[in-house]
Amino acid sequence: MRGLIEFFVAKKHWFVFILLEALSLCLLFRSHDYHGSAFFTTANGLVGFVTDIVSSIDAYFGMPTRNHRLEAENEILRAEVIALQQELGAKKRSARQKPFRALGAEVIKSTLHKATNLMTINKGAKDGVKEEMGVVCSSGVVGVVSLTSEHYAIVIPLINTKSMVSCRVVGSEYFGTMQWQRGNTEETIVQGVPRHAEVSVGDRIETNGYSDIFPSGIPIGEVIKVDDSSDGLAYVLTVRLSTDFSNLRDVSVITNYRHMERQVLEHKADSLMNY
Amino acid sequence: MLLLVAIQLLILDDIHLFGYATPLLIGYMLISFRRSSTRISLLLWGGLTGFLFDWFSNTMGMGMAGMTLLAFVQPAILDRFMPKDETDKFRPTLKTMGLLNYVIYVFSSFSVLHFVFYFLEAFSLSDFWLTLAGIIVGSLLSTGLVVLIELIANERKSE
């Protein structure tokens, strides 16, 4: 301690020198705008430079923590990628099973309270819409194209007494025929489901793919009542439709389902006839 | 000190040789301090003289910084050029040091003062060579003036 004091006493002129120089520089920067601004600009730059270095050092020492966090995040993302790849694979397989294209359309007119309800969509022959093409929406089956003009098409919806769609109970191969009965636009009747089939309230009904209009697996509705037919040989199922026809706007026309296959077959049939 | 500041302000500040070289005779006071003077007294006198000069010539801080640095290095420069066998009572003059040593001593000292003053005044390296020329010419001019003053003083003493 004594040595330190002696050192400071011996070098006291250094402190006086530094003090006087600091005082003169303070006076300089305070009294002259140019000197002041030049000094503070340089000082700011220097502070920025030092801050950058400190920040880089800080970031360097914080790397292990960040690495752990990134590794954990990577694991989560990797798991997500695997899950998504599996989902994508399943979707691709599913897409291969259902080789059809859907053409988006809008319902521009529809009736609900007639026996033969119809609806008009804004896509027609020019868009590739043809008669007997199936029409679906996000919630399920809508109907079948009946007539087409250049820009429009008339669709016979499920809620038309003349509409008949082959369907099945989800999870079983027992099928029946859906036909609407005038009145309630939210419900329809499925007939022809054999008595030995196990059907209960809450079962879902979907298309079975037997027709060349709809692929299999498109929802139609849910069983809300199970009755016996008049001859006692089959069930009569009351089904709540999955499609809300009173509030239907966006639909899709299935444009190519089995179309090519049918064309080929029909071409062969024509050849046989001409033979 | 006051006389030197007055001469500096009233006469020398109006001299701008080649447009930029101004002699800073205020340094003469520090150059003339005895070898035995304490460093603290040198620094305080230098700082005070520089401050007074700055106050009146609107160069706040520049003269004070230059004079303080000159006060700080003056003992070292003097040790380099004063005769080896002299005592601490030694006072640096033209007569005691001889012309050559004295001129080099004075020029070196003034160079320090001019260097600080001119660079603080410019506060930029954009006119580096011009500033350097100002320092050299100013230092030469100041040295010339001091030698002249010393010669006149010697003449008077001999009379």
Side-chain angles (χ1 to χ4, degrees), chain A residues 13 20-21 24 28 31 34-35, chain B residues 40 43 60-61 65 69 120 123:
Chain A
H13 63 280
L20 286 172
E21 286 292 357
S24 53
L28 177 76
S31 311
Y34 167 71
H35 295 74
Chain B
I40 297 284
L43 284 165
M60 200 52 92
L69 185 65
L120 282 182
F123 212 68

Side-chain angles (χ1 to χ4, degrees), chain A residues 83-145:
Chain A
L84 287 172
Q85 276 176 341
Q86 283 171 350
E87 200 177 319
L88 183 67
K91 286 249 161 76
K92 277 180 177 171
R93 281 194 295 279
S94 165
R96 274 198 295 274
Q97 283 165 5
K98 296 175 184 174
F100 62 85
R101 268 207 306 270
L103 173 73
E106 275 183 28
V107 176
I108 54 171
K109 186 186 172 189
S110 66
T111 57
L112 294 170
H113 306 295
K114 295 179 182 174
T116 51
N117 290 312
L118 295 172
M119 71 180 45
T120 310
I121 58 171
N122 66 347
K123 291 283 158 67
K126 205 171 181 181
D127 305 295
V129 179
K130 291 176 183 166
E131 289 168 13
E132 298 206 348
M133 281 182 169
V135 180
V136 296
C137 68
S138 57
S139 53
V141 176
V142 173
V144 179
V145 176

Side-chain angles (χ1 to χ4, degrees), chain B residues 53-69:
Chain B
F53 164 72
D54 287 338
W55 185 276
F56 292 107
S57 60
N58 196 28
T59 55
M60 200 52 92
M62 300 173 201
M64 188 177 173
M67 287 293 278
T68 305
L69 185 65

Side-chain angles (χ1 to χ4, degrees), chain B residues 65-152:
Chain B
M67 287 293 278
T68 305
L69 185 65
L70 176 57
F72 189 71
V73 297
Q74 188 265 356
I77 302 173
L78 183 59
D79 279 353
R80 175 72 183 78
F81 296 105
M82 69 182 261
K84 301 293 175 199
D85 53 350
E86 286 295 340
T87 60
D88 278 353
K89 299 278 182 187
F90 178 76
R91 183 186 164 83
T93 60
L94 179 64
K95 197 174 178 182
T96 55
M97 290 180 76
L99 182 65
L100 186 64
N101 274 350
Y102 188 68
V103 166
I104 297 171
Y105 164 67
V106 173
F107 179 76
S108 307
S109 303
F110 274 122
S111 297
V112 172
L113 174 61
H114 281 77
F115 179 86
V116 175
F117 186 88
Y118 277 74
F119 267 110
L120 282 182
E121 192 180 39
F123 212 68
S124 160
L125 293 176
S126 56
D127 293 324
F128 178 80
W129 296 110
L130 200 67
T131 310
L132 197 65
I135 291 165
I136 294 166
V137 175
S139 300
L140 284 172
L141 207 58
S142 302
T143 306
L145 279 171
V146 167
V147 171
L148 194 67
I149 291 167
E150 285 286 319
L151 284 172
I152 293 167

Side-chain angles (χ1 to χ4, degrees), chain A residues 230-268:
Chain A
S230 53
D231 56 8
L233 297 174
Y235 286 129
V236 176
L237 308 176
T238 306
V239 173
R240 180 181 289 123
L241 289 166
S242 57
T243 303
D244 181 6
F245 286 92
S246 62
N247 186 25
L248 189 61
R249 180 183 161 83
D250 296 310
V251 295
S252 302
V253 183
I254 298 169
T255 53
N256 67 335
Y257 177 63
R258 291 185 182 167
H259 188 64
M260 189 63 80
E261 188 183 327
R262 202 169 89 180
Q263 269 189 340
V264 170
L265 189 65
E266 283 170 358
H267 181 67
K268 281 181 180 171

